[in-house]
C-alpha cells in the first residue's frame, strides 16, 4: 500500500515538476524582456544562473502545458529537485514576487526520494509523452539535430527533439543564452574522455546478436556458415550439411571472438523457414515472440530491485530478411512478415540465392523490391549519417546495394593456402566472396565493420525503448473510477508483485542458505562430539593403563618392603645374637640383597651401594666377597653414572685389601678366635683409627681395615703387630706362603686387579674426582700386601706412576708407606724398585720428604748393609742442609 501511494505521487509530482519548470522558464523569459529588469545592474543574477541553468531551461521549457503569462512571479521550484548549486533563483526579486502557485507541499516532498530512473519512466507515462513512439528516422533526426544530446539519455533526446521542432518562437532568445564555446589552452584533462570510454568499452566487451529470417530453403543456414565460418568458426564447428538439413527450431549459438584485445560475443540465431505450409497466417509469431522474449528478459533484468552491474544483452540487434529470388516483386507474405517485424528489430533485406538471377534481372529485382518497401512503408534499418565522410561514403555504397544479393555455399575450396567458398555449376563456379558475383563481402563488412555499434544503439534506443514503452503502457487501465485515473495502480500492482516475488525469492534463498548452514553446523558439531567422545575413551583407556601400572608398582614395592622388613627383622635378631654362625646366616641373606640394590635403576642407590660395599666386604665371607660382592663392584665400576663409577673406584683399593689372606683361608692351621681375641682386635682397630694425621700413613691397619668375621690376622700376627717390622714381615711372608700366594687367581678376582692397575686412566676418564688417585696411592700397600711380593710385578708400574704423579698429595702417602712396602717385598725388589723412588722422594717437596724421613729407620732396616750405608750419608747431608731451615727434619731425624 505504501509503495502504491508513493508511485502515484511520483507520477503526479512529475507532472507538477514539469509545470513548475515551465512556469519558471516562462517567468525568466518574461523577466528578461522587462526593461526595468534589463536595466538592473545585477550581473550576478545572470551569472548565478549560468549555462547549466540555461540548458535545463531549454530542455524543459517546451513541456510547459499552460502558458501562465499573466504572472511574472517566479514559480516555486522544489528545493529538493533543483539544488541551489544547479539552479539559483534570482537574487534580486523586485518587484516583490506574488504568491507562488498553489502546489501541494505534501506531494512535493515526495519528489526528492525516488531515483532519476523511476522519474523518467513515469514521465514516459505522463499524458505529455503518452503518444510518443519513436521511429528509426525520428531517432536519426534527433541525433543529427544536436550534438549536445549525444551523451544524454533517450528522454533528453526526445525532449530536445520536440523542442527543436516546436519552439521556433523562442529560438532566437535561446541562441543568445546558449552556452558559449570556449577553447581551453591549459591542460584540464577531459581531452582523455574518449580514451576513458575506449578503455571501458574494451574492458566490458561487446555483444552482438544476429538473426536470419526467411522462407524455407532460401539458404539461411548456409549463409550463416558462409558469413562467419570461414574466418570466425573453427574447423570443429559442424557445417549445416553435417548438422541438419532443415532448421526446425529457433537455434541460437554463441561464440566469443577476440581481435586485438577487443572482445565480441557473437550470437547467431537461425530460424526455421516459413511459407511452405498451406496456412501461413501467424507464421511470424514464433519469431516475434522470440524477439519480444529477449526484450522482456532485458527489461526484467533492468528493473530488478537488485540489479547486476552487467546485464547480458540477448536482444536481436540485426535481422537479415531473406527474400525469394523470384525476379518479380516482394511476395505478400514477405511484406506482411516485414511489417510485423520492422517495429521490433533492424531489418536488412537480402536476396537469397542471387546466383539464380542474371545481373540485369538482379538490378531490376532490387529496384522492384525497394519500390515495394517504400510503397508498403516498411521501415528498414537506416544507415547512419556520420561526421566522418569516409564512413558516409561507405554507407552510401551499402545503401545502394540494399537489398544485398547473396550467394551461400557449404563447399570450401582450398587454393594457394586460401579457403574460399564457391558454388560449382556445369558451366563454371561462383565465388561467394567475389564482389562481381555477390554482395556478400559488402554485407559482412556493413554489419561487422561499419555499423555494428550503430545497430546496437538503434536496437537499444528505439526498438527496446518502444517495447519498453508499450510494455509499461500496457499496464495502463482505461477504466476510470470517480474521475481518477487508475493507470498507476496496475503499475504499482505490478511493481508490488515484482517486489513480492523478489522478496519471496530472496526469502527462499535465505531459508535455503540457513538450512544449509544449519546442516553444516549440525554435521560439524556431530563430528566434533564424536571426536571428543573418541578422545575421552582414549583418555579413559590410558588412565586405566596407568592405574594398572601404578597398582603393579605398588605391589612390587610392597613386596620389596616386606622383603626388606624380613631382612631387617632377621638382622636385628642377629644383632641381638652375635654368634658367628648366626651372623653368617644373616649375611647370607643380606649380601644378595645388596647385590639387588646394585642393579637398582636409581643411580643414588647404586652409589650408596658402592660406598657401603667395603664395610660389607669386611664382615662377610671370602666366598660372598668373591661370588657376590666382587661382581657387584665390577658392575658398579662399569656403571654408566660417573658418580657411581667414581664411588666404586674410590673404594676399589680398600675392597681388594679385604682379599688379603685370612684365617678362613688357612682354617686348617688356625685356631678359632674367641671373643677375647676379637675384643683385642677391636681395640687395636680403634687405636689404628684414632691415629693422628701423620701416623695414619705408617700403619698397615689404616689401609687394611679390620676383618671382623674372617679375622684375617692370626694370633701371632696380632700379637706381633707391635713388634719389629722384620718379625711382622716374616709372619706376613708365612701367611702368604700358606695360601698359595703365587697364584693371583686364588687371591682375588682378576678383573678387580685390572681395574686397580688402570686406576689412573679410569680416574682421568671419569673426570669427576681427583682424589681417586690419591685414594689409590693411599691403599697401595694394602693391595700389595694382598697380592704378596710374588705378584709385585703386576702392580710395580702402577706404583711407579703414583710415585711420578704430579700431585704431591699422591706422592706423600707413598713416601709415608714406603717402609711398609719394603717390608712386604723382597730385598731385591726393594733395592731395584723402591730405592730409586726413595731417592726421588729425598729430593721432593718437604711434605714428601718428611714422609720418608719419619719412617727412615724402618726402611733402612730392610736394606742390605752396604746399601744402607749410602743412605746414612744422605741423611747426614739432609740434616746438614735442609735442617737449617726446617726443625721438623731435625725432629724426625732425632726420633
Ligand atoms: N543456388 C543456390 N543454392 C543455395 C544457396 N544457398 C544455399 N543453397 C542451397 O539451398 C538449400 C537449402 O539451404 P539451407 O541453408 O538449408 O536453407 P534454409 O533457409 O536454412 O532452410 P530451412 O532451414 O528449411 O529454413 C541447400 O541445398 C543449399 O545448398 C545459394 O546461394 N544458391
Ligand atoms: Mg536452415
Amino acid at each position: 500500500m505504501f509503495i502504491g501511494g508513493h508511485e502515484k505521487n511520483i507520477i503526479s509530482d512529475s507532472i507538477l515538476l514539469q509545470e513548475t519548470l515551465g512556469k519558471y522558464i516562462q517567468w525568466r523569459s518574461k523577466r528578461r524582456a522587462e526593461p526595468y529588469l534589463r536595466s538592473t545592474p545585477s550581473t550576478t543574477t545572470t551569472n548565478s544562473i549560468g549555462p547549466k541553468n540555461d540548458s535545463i531551461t531549454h530542455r524543459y521549457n517546451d513541456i510547459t502545458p499552460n502558458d501562465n503569462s499573466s504572472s511574472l512571479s517566479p514559480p516555486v521550484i522544489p528545493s529538493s529537485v533543483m539544488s541551489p548549486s544547479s539552479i539559483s533563483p534570482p537574487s534580486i526579486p523586485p518587484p516583490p514576487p506574488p504568491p507562488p502557485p498553489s502546489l501541494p507541499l505534501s506531494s512535493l516532498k515526495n519528489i526528492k526520494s525516488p531515483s532519476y530512473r523511476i522519474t523518467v519512466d513515469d514521465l514516459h507515462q505522463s499524458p505529455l509523452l503518452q503518444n510518443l513512439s519513436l521511429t528509426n528516422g525520428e531517432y536519426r533526426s534527433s541525433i543529427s539535430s544536436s550534438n549536445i544530446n549525444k551523451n544524454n539519455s533517450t528522454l533528453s533526446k526526445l525532449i530536445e527533439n520536440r523542442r527543436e521542432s516546436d519552439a521556433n518562437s523562442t529560438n532566437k532568445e535561446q541562441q543568445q543564452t546558449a552556452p558559449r564555446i570556449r577553447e581551453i589552452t591549459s591542460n584540464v584533462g577531459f581531452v582523455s574522455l574518449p580514451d576513458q570510454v575506449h578503455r571501458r568499452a574494451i574492458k566490458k566487451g561487446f555483444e552482438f546478436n544476429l538473426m536470419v529470417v526467411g522462407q524455407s530453403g532460401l539458404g539461411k543456414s548456409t549463409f550463416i556458415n558462409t558469413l562467419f565460418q570461414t574466418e570466425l568458426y573453427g574447423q570443429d564447428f559442424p557445417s549445416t550439411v553435417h548438422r541438419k538439413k532443415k532448421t526446425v527450431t529457433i537455434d541460437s549459438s554463441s561464440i566469443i571472438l577476440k581481435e586485438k584485445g577487443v572482445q565480441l560475443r557473437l550470437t547467431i540465431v537461425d530460424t526455421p523457414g516459413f511459407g511452405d505450409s498451406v496456412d501461413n497466417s501467424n507464421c511470424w509469431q514464433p519469431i516475434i515472440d522470440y524477439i519480444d522474449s529477449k526484450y522482456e528478459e532485458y527489461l526484467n533484468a533492468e528493473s530488478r530491485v537488485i540489479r547486476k552491474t552487467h546485464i547480458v544483452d540477448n536482444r536481436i540487434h540485426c535481422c537479415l530478411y531473406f527474400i525469394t529470388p523470384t525476379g518479380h516483386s516482394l511476395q505478400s507474405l514477405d511484406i506482411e512478415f516485414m511489417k510485423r517485424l520492422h517495429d521490433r528489430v533492424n531489418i536488412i533485406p537480402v536476396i537469397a540465392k542471387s546466383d539464380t538471377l542474371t545481373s540485369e534481372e538482379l538490378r531490376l529485382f532490387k529496384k522492384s523490391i525497394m519500390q515495394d518497401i517504400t510503397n508498403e512503408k516498411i521501415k528498414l534499418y537506416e544507415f547512419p549519417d556520420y561526421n566522418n565522410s569516409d564512413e558516409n561514403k561507405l554507407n552510401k555504397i551499402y545503401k545502394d546495394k540494399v537489398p544485398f544479393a547473396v550467394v551461400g555455399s557449404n563447399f570450401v575450396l582450398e587454393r594457394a593456402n586460401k579457403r574460399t567458398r564457391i558454388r560449382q555449376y556445369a558451366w563454371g563456379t561462383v565465388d561467394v566472396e567475389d564482389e562481381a558475383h555477390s554482395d556478400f563481402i559488402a554485407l559482412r563488412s556493413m554489419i561487422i565493420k561499419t555499423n555494428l555499434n550503430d545497430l546496437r544503439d538503434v536496437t537499444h534506443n528505439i526498438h527496446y525503448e518502444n517495447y519498453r514503452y508499450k510494455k509499461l503502457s500496457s499496464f495502463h487501465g482505461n477504466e476510470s473510477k470517480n474521475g481518477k485515473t487508475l493507470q498507476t495502480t496496475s503499475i504499482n500492482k505490478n511493481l508490488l508483485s515484482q517486489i513480492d516475488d523478489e522478496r519471496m525469492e530472496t526469502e527462499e534463498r535465505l531459508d535455503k542458505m540457513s538450512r544449509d548452514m544449519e546442516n553444516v553446523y549440525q554435521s560439524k558439531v556431530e563430528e566434533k562430539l564424536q571426536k571428543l567422545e573418541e578422545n575421552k575413551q582414549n583418555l579413559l583407556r590410558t588412565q586405566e593403563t596407568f592405574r594398572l601400572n601404578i597398582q603393579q608398582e605398588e605391589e612390587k614395592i610392597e613386596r620389596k618392603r616386606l622383603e626388606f622388613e624380613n631382612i631387617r627383622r632377621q638382622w636385628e635378631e642377629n644383632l641381638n645374637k652375635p654368634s658367628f654362625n648366626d651372623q653368617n646366616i644373616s649375611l647370607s641373606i643380606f649380601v644378595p640383597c645388596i647385590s639387588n640394590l646394585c642393579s637398582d635403576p636409581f643411580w643414588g642407590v647404586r652409589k650408596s651401594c658402592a660406598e657401603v660395599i667395603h664395610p660389607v666386604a669386611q664382615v662377610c665371607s671370602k666366598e660372598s666377597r668373591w661370588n657376590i660382592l666382587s661382581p657387584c663392584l665390577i658392575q658398579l665400576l662399569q656403571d654408566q653414572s660417573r658418580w657411581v663409577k667414581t664411588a666404586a673406584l674410590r673404594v676399589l683399593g680398600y675392597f681388594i685389601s679385604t682379599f688379603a689372606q685370612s684365617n678362613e683361608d688357612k682354617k686348617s692351621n688356625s685356631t678359632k678366635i674367641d671373643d677375647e681375641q676379637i675384643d683385642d682386635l677391636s681395640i687395636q682397630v680403634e687405636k689404628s683409627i684414632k691415629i693422628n694425621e701423620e701416623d695414619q700413613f705408617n700403619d698397615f691397619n689404616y689401609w687394611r681395615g679390620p676383618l671382623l668375621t674372617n679375622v684375617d690376622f692370626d694370633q701371632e700376627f696380632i700379637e706381633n703387630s707391635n713388634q719389629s717390622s722384620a718379625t711382622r714381615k716374616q709372619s706376613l711372608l708365612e701367611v702368604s706362603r700358606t695360601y698359595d700366594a703365587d697364584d693371583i687367581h686364588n687371591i682375588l678376582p682378576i678383573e678387580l686387579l685390572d681395574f686397580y692397575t688402570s686406576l689412573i686412566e679410569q680416574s682421568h676418564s671419569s673426570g669427576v674426582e681427583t682424589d681417586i688417585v690419591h685414594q689409590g696411592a693411599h691403599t697401595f700397600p694394602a693391595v700389595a700386601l694382598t697380592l704378596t711380593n710374588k705378584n709385585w710385578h703386576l702392580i710395580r708400574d702402577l706404583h711407579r706412576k703414583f710415585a711420578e704423579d704430579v700431585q704431591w698429595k699422591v706422592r706423600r702417602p707413598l713416601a709415608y708407606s714406603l717402609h711398609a712396602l719394603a717390608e712386604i717385598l723382597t730385598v731385591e725388589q726393594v733395592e731395584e724398585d723402591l730405592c730409586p723412588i726413595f731417592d726421588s722422594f729425598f729430593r721432593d717437596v718437604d711434605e714428601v720428604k718428611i714422609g720418608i724421613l719419619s719412617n727412615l729407620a724402618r726402611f733402612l732396616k730392610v736394606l742390605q748393609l752396604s746399601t744402607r750405608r749410602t743412605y746414612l750419608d744422605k741423611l747426614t747431608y739432609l740434616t746438614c742442609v735442609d735442617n737449617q731451615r726446617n726443625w721438623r727434619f731435625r725432629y724426625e731425624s732425632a726420633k
Side-chain angles (χ1 to χ4, degrees):
M1 286 302 289
F2 167 75
I3 293 169
H6 180 72
E7 289 298 322
K8 192 175 158 190
N9 284 333
I10 293 166
I11 297 299
S12 55
D13 291 346
S14 305
I15 296 161
L16 282 170
L17 174 66
Q18 293 156 25
E19 287 171 2
T20 314
L21 282 168
K23 282 173 189 168
Y24 174 68
I25 292 154
Q26 198 66 38
W27 173 79
R28 274 197 70 217
S29 48
K30 287 266 162 104
R31 196 168 154 269
R32 280 208 187 92
E34 286 296 320
Y36 73 87
L37 275 178
R38 288 215 192 108
S39 59
T40 307
S42 170
T43 48
T44 48
T45 312
T46 323
N47 290 343
S48 67
I49 294 166
K52 195 174 182 183
N53 299 347
D54 287 347
S55 71
I56 291 168
T57 311
H58 296 316
R59 200 176 294 168
Y60 287 99
N61 64 1
D62 300 329
I63 336 170
T64 314
N66 302 313
D67 188 0
N68 195 1
S69 54
S70 61
S71 171
L72 281 176
S73 59
V76 175
I77 296 170
S79 59
S80 54
V81 177
M82 303 273 179
S83 67
S85 63
S86 60
I87 297 177
S88 315
S91 56
I92 304 168
S102 56
L103 283 173
L105 281 172
S106 60
S107 62
L108 287 177
K109 273 179 204 163
N110 290 325
I111 295 176
K112 66 176 166 186
S113 55
S115 68
Y116 174 73
R117 182 173 288 280
I118 292 174
T119 313
V120 170
D121 293 348
D122 297 333
L123 281 172
H124 264 293
Q125 292 156 30
S126 73
L128 283 169
L129 301 172
Q130 247 186 18
N131 294 322
L132 179 68
S133 174
L134 269 190
T135 63
N136 197 352
E138 285 164 346
Y139 173 68
R140 291 273 170 248
S141 60
S142 77
I143 289 174
S144 57
S145 64
S146 170
N147 285 334
I148 303 164
N149 293 337
K150 271 188 181 171
N151 291 324
N152 287 348
S153 70
T154 310
L155 177 67
S156 311
K157 287 168 191 165
L158 300 177
I159 293 166
E160 191 63 27
N161 190 29
R162 281 182 70 103
R163 183 186 67 77
E164 287 286 333
S165 58
D166 297 338
N168 293 327
S169 59
T170 51
N171 258 354
K172 232 179 181 179
E173 192 183 347
Q174 281 165 7
Q175 275 168 12
Q176 281 171 5
T177 57
R180 279 176 300 154
I181 295 169
R182 192 171 143 210
E183 195 72 38
I184 297 174
T185 48
S186 57
N187 185 14
V188 174
F190 59 81
V191 70
S192 71
L193 272 174
D195 294 342
Q196 290 177 27
V197 173
H198 175 75
R199 275 199 299 276
R200 195 153 158 259
I202 295 246
K203 197 179 164 199
K204 271 173 65 180
F206 296 89
E207 287 158 326
F208 188 73
N209 307 316
L210 175 79
M211 181 185 245
V212 286
V213 177
Q215 293 188 33
S216 185
L218 287 183
K220 298 183 291 295
S221 306
T222 311
F223 176 78
I224 287 171
N225 263 8
T226 315
L227 186 63
F228 293 123
Q229 194 183 7
T230 333
E231 285 162 16
L232 306 182
Y233 289 154
Q235 294 283 341
D236 49 342
F237 192 82
S239 70
T240 36
V241 174
H242 296 111
R243 278 188 289 166
K244 50 196 155 195
K245 289 286 175 203
K246 185 171 163 43
T247 312
V248 286
T249 53
I250 297 178
D251 197 2
S252 145
S253 49
S254 298
I255 184 164
I256 293 172
L257 303 166
K258 270 192 177 177
E259 188 181 23
K260 291 181 183 169
V262 182
Q263 187 171 298
L264 173 69
R265 180 172 161 274
L266 179 68
T267 306
I268 300 195
V269 183
D270 192 3
T271 59
F274 52 84
D276 48 1
S277 54
V278 180
D279 182 11
N280 287 317
S281 55
N282 285 335
C283 61
W284 45 79
Q285 202 53 48
I287 309 289
I288 288 172
D289 288 348
Y290 183 84
I291 293 169
D292 283 355
S293 71
K294 298 300 163 193
Y295 286 139
E296 178 80 25
E297 268 176 29
Y298 196 85
L299 180 62
N300 284 343
E302 216 184 26
S303 45
R304 285 181 80 87
V305 176
I306 301 164
R307 274 190 302 182
K308 290 180 183 169
T309 46
H310 174 69
I311 301 168
V312 180
D313 187 2
N314 286 323
R315 297 169 297 181
I316 302 299
H317 299 120
C318 176
C319 170
L320 295 181
Y321 191 89
F322 279 63
I323 299 165
T324 319
T326 55
H328 305 302
S329 58
L330 267 182
Q331 291 176 7
S332 55
L333 184 58
D334 292 330
I335 291 169
E336 196 57 37
F337 208 115
M338 282 201 265
K339 275 186 170 177
R340 301 282 172 166
L341 288 187
H342 69 175
D343 280 339
R344 290 184 159 78
V345 71
N346 294 317
I347 297 176
I348 297 172
V350 164
I351 299 171
K353 297 185 178 178
S354 65
D355 56 314
T356 56
L357 300 171
T358 64
S359 303
E360 186 54 21
E361 282 168 349
L362 195 62
R363 194 180 61 78
L364 291 172
F365 190 43
K366 279 188 179 183
K367 207 171 167 187
S368 161
I369 289 169
M370 289 314 287
Q371 191 62 50
D372 288 346
I373 284 172
T374 314
N375 292 342
E376 295 297 333
K377 295 194 173 102
I378 295 168
K379 288 171 251 170
L380 302 179
Y381 167 67
E382 281 192 23
F383 292 90
D385 186 8
Y386 292 116
N387 293 338
N388 188 325
S389 60
D390 288 347
E391 282 182 336
N392 281 346
K393 266 184 210 162
L394 265 178
N395 273 337
K396 176 84 180 58
I397 295 166
Y398 296 147
K399 206 169 180 176
D400 292 344
K401 284 188 187 290
V402 176
F404 294 90
V406 295
V407 178
S409 170
N410 283 323
F411 184 75
V412 181
L413 181 71
E414 292 232 18
R415 201 165 39 193
N417 288 338
K418 198 178 170 223
R419 286 159 62 88
T420 42
R421 287 183 172 260
I422 55 159
R423 290 195 75 82
Q424 269 185 322
Y425 302 100
W427 40 263
T429 55
V430 173
D431 186 343
V432 297
E433 293 186 16
D434 189 338
E435 286 187 47
H437 297 175
S438 82
D439 299 332
F440 172 79
I441 292 290
L443 176 61
R444 191 171 68 182
S445 59
M446 189 280 283
I447 295 172
I448 304 288
K449 226 172 170 177
T450 322
N451 292 320
L452 188 142
N453 204 37
D454 187 65
L455 284 161
R456 281 158 44 86
D457 276 356
V458 174
T459 305
H460 181 76
N461 294 326
I462 299 175
H463 299 302
Y464 172 65
E465 281 298 321
N466 282 343
Y467 172 82
R468 191 166 161 279
Y469 168 71
K470 276 181 205 154
K471 184 79 183 173
L472 296 178
S473 306
S474 69
F475 291 123
H476 290 200
N478 292 326
E479 311 139 55
S480 292
K481 201 177 179 183
N482 297 331
K484 285 184 180 174
T485 309
L486 296 178
Q487 56 184 350
T488 53
T489 317
S490 56
I491 298 169
N492 293 337
K493 264 186 199 165
N494 181 264
L495 283 171
L496 259 182
S497 65
Q498 194 180 337
I499 289 166
D500 269 353
D501 286 351
E502 279 187 31
R503 187 174 51 77
M504 275 164 64
E505 200 181 298
T506 313
E507 274 175 6
E508 264 174 36
R509 210 171 52 240
L510 281 174
D511 268 1
K512 191 172 171 294
M513 273 168 71
S514 76
R515 274 199 306 277
D516 286 353
M517 279 176 76
E518 189 81 13
N519 286 343
V520 169
Y521 176 76
Q522 278 295 342
S523 65
K524 288 224 162 169
V525 165
E526 274 169 23
E527 206 176 294
K528 265 270 179 280
L529 282 174
Q530 201 175 334
K531 266 193 178 169
L532 281 174
E533 186 60 31
E534 274 173 22
N535 284 350
K536 191 181 158 191
Q537 292 301 331
N538 281 342
L539 278 174
L540 282 174
R541 269 198 296 278
T542 320
Q543 192 187 6
E544 184 61 20
T545 319
F546 277 134
R547 200 185 59 75
L548 285 172
N549 283 348
I550 289 168
Q551 201 177 329
Q552 282 174 3
E553 286 293 320
E554 278 175 356
E555 283 171 7
K556 219 165 152 182
I557 289 167
E558 184 60 21
R559 269 202 308 278
K560 284 203 170 177
R561 197 183 64 77
L562 288 173
E563 222 172 84
F564 174 73
E565 284 294 325
N566 278 338
I567 293 167
R568 200 177 65 151
R569 208 170 33 250
Q570 285 174 11
W571 178 260
E572 281 169 0
E573 281 168 13
N574 287 337
L575 272 182
N576 295 333
K577 301 177 210 166
S579 86
F580 280 104
N581 285 338
D582 291 345
Q583 199 171 4
N584 279 341
I585 290 164
S586 63
L587 280 172
S588 67
I589 299 163
F590 177 72
V591 170
C593 176
I594 284 247
S595 153
N596 281 345
L597 291 171
C598 283
S599 309
D600 199 276
F602 301 105
W603 69 268
V605 177
R606 299 200 300 278
K607 183 170 172 271
S608 299
C609 286
E611 283 163 359
V612 301
I613 202 160
H614 172 231
V616 173
Q618 283 180 317
V619 294
C620 67
S621 66
K622 185 181 178 184
E623 204 174 278
S624 304
R625 274 203 303 278
W626 193 296
N627 293 329
I628 300 169
L629 295 180
S630 293
C632 287
L633 185 61
I634 289 166
Q635 186 186 327
L636 294 172
L637 283 165
Q638 294 167 326
D639 201 283
Q640 57 187 3
S641 161
R642 53 184 180 174
W643 305 110
V644 178
K645 198 173 170 183
T646 309
L649 283 171
R650 207 177 286 142
V651 300
L652 181 61
Y654 297 104
F655 187 82
I656 288 174
S657 69
T658 60
F659 285 96
Q661 291 147 0
S662 62
N663 279 350
E664 206 182 326
D665 299 328
K666 47 177 184 176
K667 238 172 219 166
S668 53
N669 57 359
S670 72
T671 53
K672 206 165 182 188
I673 301 170
D674 56 18
D675 290 349
E676 199 182 325
Q677 282 174 322
I678 289 173
D679 286 343
D680 285 349
L681 188 61
S682 301
I683 291 160
Q684 189 190 348
V685 168
E686 273 178 29
K687 264 192 196 164
S688 71
I689 289 168
K690 281 176 192 162
I691 54 176
N692 62 35
E693 171 69 18
E694 286 175 3
D695 290 341
Q696 64 181 328
F697 304 107
N698 303 336
D699 202 325
F700 166 76
N701 285 322
Y702 178 79
W703 305 299
R704 166 76 200 280
L707 301 179
L708 297 176
T709 49
N710 301 327
V711 194
D712 291 339
F713 308 104
D714 58 8
Q715 188 64 25
E716 190 188 359
F717 181 78
I718 295 163
E719 279 174 5
N720 292 337
S721 60
N722 291 326
Q723 290 174 4
S724 71
S725 60
T727 323
R728 283 173 69 189
K729 183 188 167 190
Q730 191 60 38
S731 60
L732 286 168
L733 287 173
E734 273 174 27
V735 167
S736 50
R737 232 178 278 123
T738 319
Y739 285 95
D740 190 18
D742 292 344
D743 193 358
I744 185 72
H745 297 285
N746 290 335
I747 296 171
L748 81 169
I750 194 72
E751 292 91 344
L752 288 177
L753 186 63
D754 290 344
F755 274 108
Y756 187 75
T757 51
S758 63
L759 195 70
I760 295 174
E761 290 81 19
Q762 299 271 354
S763 160
H764 291 157
S765 67
S766 78
V768 178
E769 295 282 345
T770 49
D771 72 327
I772 292 170
V773 183
H774 176 244
Q775 296 278 4
H778 184 67
T779 55
F780 191 84
V783 175
L785 175 71
T786 310
L787 297 181
T788 73
N789 56 16
K790 295 284 187 303
N791 294 304
W792 166 246
H793 63 280
L794 296 175
I795 54 171
R796 185 173 51 200
D797 286 346
L798 180 65
H799 186 258
R800 205 185 60 250
K801 280 181 193 167
F802 283 145
E804 288 168 359
D805 199 278
V806 288
Q807 296 186 61
W808 62 265
K809 277 187 181 172
V810 176
R811 299 195 301 273
R812 188 174 65 171
L814 284 192
Y816 274 103
S817 64
L818 207 61
H819 67 283
L821 200 58
E823 286 166 1
I824 295 164
L825 302 179
T826 60
V827 178
E828 292 76 31
Q829 284 171 334
V830 171
E831 287 190 351
E832 190 181 339
D833 297 324
L834 298 192
C835 283
I837 291 170
F838 184 88
D839 290 346
S840 72
F841 285 168
F842 223 85
R843 291 185 293 277
D844 214 320
V845 293
D846 291 353
E847 280 75 9
V848 179
K849 215 182 276 177
I850 204 93
I852 52 165
L853 197 59
S854 59
N855 293 302
L856 182 66
R858 286 169 71 178
F859 180 77
L860 291 179
K861 263 186 213 169
V862 181
L863 298 177
Q864 288 174 1
L865 197 62
S866 56
T867 322
R868 207 182 297 163
R869 196 161 285 150
T870 58
Y871 282 100
L872 281 174
D873 293 343
K874 282 182 188 170
L875 180 68
T876 320
Y877 166 78
L878 190 75
T879 46
C880 292
V881 179
D882 288 354
N883 275 355
Q884 300 296 323
R885 53 172 203 272
N886 196 339
W887 64 268
R888 287 179 69 200
F889 290 118
R890 292 197 301 277
Y891 171 71
E892 288 298 332
S893 303
K895 278 208 297 187

